[in-house]
Short mmCIF file of all heavy atoms in Angstrom, two decimals:
data_model
loop_
_atom_site.label_atom_id
_atom_site.label_comp_id
_atom_site.label_asym_id
_atom_site.label_seq_id
_atom_site.Cartn_x
_atom_site.Cartn_y
_atom_site.Cartn_z
N ILE A 1105 161.58 123.02 89.71
CA ILE A 1105 160.35 123.70 89.35
C ILE A 1105 160.31 123.98 87.92
O ILE A 1105 161.30 124.60 87.30
CB ILE A 1105 160.08 125.00 90.10
CG1 ILE A 1105 160.15 124.76 91.64
CG2 ILE A 1105 158.82 125.66 89.77
CD1 ILE A 1105 159.07 123.90 92.16
N PHE A 1106 159.29 123.50 87.13
CA PHE A 1106 159.26 123.70 85.71
C PHE A 1106 158.43 124.99 85.40
O PHE A 1106 157.50 125.33 86.10
CB PHE A 1106 158.46 122.51 85.06
CG PHE A 1106 159.41 121.30 85.01
CD1 PHE A 1106 158.95 120.16 85.53
CD2 PHE A 1106 160.62 121.32 84.28
CE1 PHE A 1106 159.77 119.04 85.49
CE2 PHE A 1106 161.40 120.18 84.27
CZ PHE A 1106 160.97 118.98 84.90
N LEU A 1107 158.92 125.72 84.39
CA LEU A 1107 158.25 126.95 83.96
C LEU A 1107 157.83 126.83 82.50
O LEU A 1107 158.60 126.19 81.69
CB LEU A 1107 159.21 128.14 84.13
CG LEU A 1107 159.71 128.43 85.53
CD1 LEU A 1107 160.75 129.60 85.41
CD2 LEU A 1107 158.57 128.84 86.47
N ASP A 1108 156.79 127.48 82.15
CA ASP A 1108 156.30 127.51 80.79
C ASP A 1108 157.15 128.52 80.01
O ASP A 1108 157.07 129.76 80.32
CB ASP A 1108 154.86 127.82 80.72
CG ASP A 1108 154.22 127.73 79.37
OD1 ASP A 1108 155.05 127.47 78.37
OD2 ASP A 1108 153.08 127.85 79.19
N PRO A 1109 157.97 128.09 79.06
CA PRO A 1109 158.82 128.99 78.31
C PRO A 1109 158.07 130.03 77.50
O PRO A 1109 158.65 131.10 77.18
CB PRO A 1109 159.72 128.10 77.49
CG PRO A 1109 158.89 126.88 77.28
CD PRO A 1109 158.10 126.68 78.55
N ASP A 1110 156.80 129.72 77.13
CA ASP A 1110 156.09 130.65 76.37
C ASP A 1110 155.23 131.63 77.14
O ASP A 1110 154.56 132.45 76.58
CB ASP A 1110 155.12 129.92 75.38
CG ASP A 1110 155.82 128.96 74.45
OD1 ASP A 1110 157.01 129.31 74.01
OD2 ASP A 1110 155.30 127.89 74.15
N ARG A 1111 155.38 131.47 78.45
CA ARG A 1111 154.55 132.37 79.35
C ARG A 1111 155.54 133.23 80.14
O ARG A 1111 156.24 132.72 81.01
CB ARG A 1111 153.74 131.50 80.25
CG ARG A 1111 152.73 132.39 81.13
CD ARG A 1111 151.87 131.46 81.92
NE ARG A 1111 150.96 132.20 82.79
CZ ARG A 1111 150.05 131.65 83.57
NH1 ARG A 1111 150.03 130.30 83.70
NH2 ARG A 1111 149.26 132.38 84.30
N PRO A 1112 155.61 134.50 79.93
CA PRO A 1112 156.60 135.36 80.62
C PRO A 1112 156.25 135.46 82.15
O PRO A 1112 155.12 135.55 82.50
CB PRO A 1112 156.49 136.71 79.88
CG PRO A 1112 155.14 136.71 79.29
CD PRO A 1112 154.78 135.29 78.96
N CYS A 1113 157.38 135.41 82.87
CA CYS A 1113 157.20 135.64 84.32
C CYS A 1113 158.46 136.11 84.87
O CYS A 1113 159.53 136.05 84.18
CB CYS A 1113 156.72 134.28 85.00
SG CYS A 1113 157.82 132.93 84.82
N SER A 1114 158.54 136.51 86.11
CA SER A 1114 159.74 137.07 86.72
C SER A 1114 160.80 136.02 86.93
O SER A 1114 161.99 136.27 86.75
CB SER A 1114 159.41 137.69 88.06
OG SER A 1114 158.80 136.76 88.93
N GLN A 1115 160.36 134.78 87.27
CA GLN A 1115 161.37 133.71 87.42
C GLN A 1115 162.04 133.39 86.04
O GLN A 1115 163.30 133.18 86.06
CB GLN A 1115 160.76 132.44 87.93
CG GLN A 1115 160.26 132.57 89.38
CD GLN A 1115 158.85 133.18 89.48
OE1 GLN A 1115 158.21 133.54 88.51
NE2 GLN A 1115 158.28 133.11 90.70
N MET A 1116 161.34 133.39 84.98
CA MET A 1116 161.93 133.10 83.72
C MET A 1116 162.92 134.24 83.28
O MET A 1116 163.97 133.97 82.73
CB MET A 1116 160.84 132.87 82.67
CG MET A 1116 161.36 132.52 81.23
SD MET A 1116 162.33 130.92 81.23
CE MET A 1116 161.02 129.78 81.47
N ASP A 1117 162.50 135.43 83.50
CA ASP A 1117 163.35 136.58 83.12
C ASP A 1117 164.68 136.54 83.96
O ASP A 1117 165.74 136.76 83.44
CB ASP A 1117 162.62 137.89 83.43
CG ASP A 1117 161.41 138.08 82.50
OD1 ASP A 1117 161.45 137.46 81.37
OD2 ASP A 1117 160.54 138.87 82.81
N LYS A 1118 164.52 136.25 85.23
CA LYS A 1118 165.68 136.17 86.04
C LYS A 1118 166.64 135.02 85.64
O LYS A 1118 167.89 135.16 85.63
CB LYS A 1118 165.34 136.04 87.54
CG LYS A 1118 166.54 135.98 88.49
CD LYS A 1118 165.95 135.89 89.92
CE LYS A 1118 167.04 135.91 90.90
NZ LYS A 1118 166.55 135.78 92.32
N LEU A 1119 166.05 133.89 85.26
CA LEU A 1119 166.76 132.78 84.83
C LEU A 1119 167.56 133.03 83.56
O LEU A 1119 168.81 132.70 83.46
CB LEU A 1119 165.84 131.58 84.57
CG LEU A 1119 166.48 130.32 83.96
CD1 LEU A 1119 167.65 129.81 84.85
CD2 LEU A 1119 165.41 129.24 83.74
N LYS A 1120 167.00 133.74 82.55
CA LYS A 1120 167.62 134.22 81.33
C LYS A 1120 168.82 135.09 81.61
O LYS A 1120 169.89 134.96 81.06
CB LYS A 1120 166.64 134.79 80.36
CG LYS A 1120 165.62 133.88 79.83
CD LYS A 1120 164.64 134.66 78.94
CE LYS A 1120 163.60 133.68 78.34
NZ LYS A 1120 162.62 134.44 77.38
N ARG A 1121 168.67 136.01 82.58
CA ARG A 1121 169.76 136.90 82.88
C ARG A 1121 170.93 136.12 83.52
O ARG A 1121 172.09 136.38 83.22
CB ARG A 1121 169.23 138.01 83.87
CG ARG A 1121 168.37 139.05 83.26
CD ARG A 1121 168.22 140.27 84.12
NE ARG A 1121 167.69 139.91 85.46
CZ ARG A 1121 166.41 139.86 85.80
NH1 ARG A 1121 165.50 140.11 84.96
NH2 ARG A 1121 166.06 139.55 86.98
N GLN A 1122 170.60 135.25 84.47
CA GLN A 1122 171.65 134.46 85.15
C GLN A 1122 172.42 133.57 84.12
O GLN A 1122 173.59 133.44 84.27
CB GLN A 1122 171.12 133.67 86.27
CG GLN A 1122 170.75 134.43 87.44
CD GLN A 1122 170.25 133.61 88.65
OE1 GLN A 1122 169.75 132.48 88.50
NE2 GLN A 1122 170.42 134.10 89.84
N LEU A 1123 171.64 132.92 83.14
CA LEU A 1123 172.33 132.09 82.12
C LEU A 1123 173.16 132.90 81.30
O LEU A 1123 174.36 132.45 80.92
CB LEU A 1123 171.21 131.35 81.38
CG LEU A 1123 170.41 130.23 82.12
CD1 LEU A 1123 169.25 129.73 81.22
CD2 LEU A 1123 171.39 129.13 82.48
N ALA A 1124 172.76 134.13 80.91
CA ALA A 1124 173.63 134.97 80.12
C ALA A 1124 174.88 135.35 80.81
O ALA A 1124 175.96 135.37 80.26
CB ALA A 1124 172.83 136.17 79.61
#
Side-chain angles (χ1 to χ4, degrees):
I1105 302 296
F1106 288 120
L1107 300 175
D1108 188 352
D1110 299 327
R1111 186 177 182 181
C1113 62
S1114 59
Q1115 291 88 352
M1116 182 61 71
D1117 295 339
K1118 183 178 181 180
L1119 174 58
K1120 291 179 179 179
R1121 290 195 303 269
Q1122 287 185 334
L1123 289 174

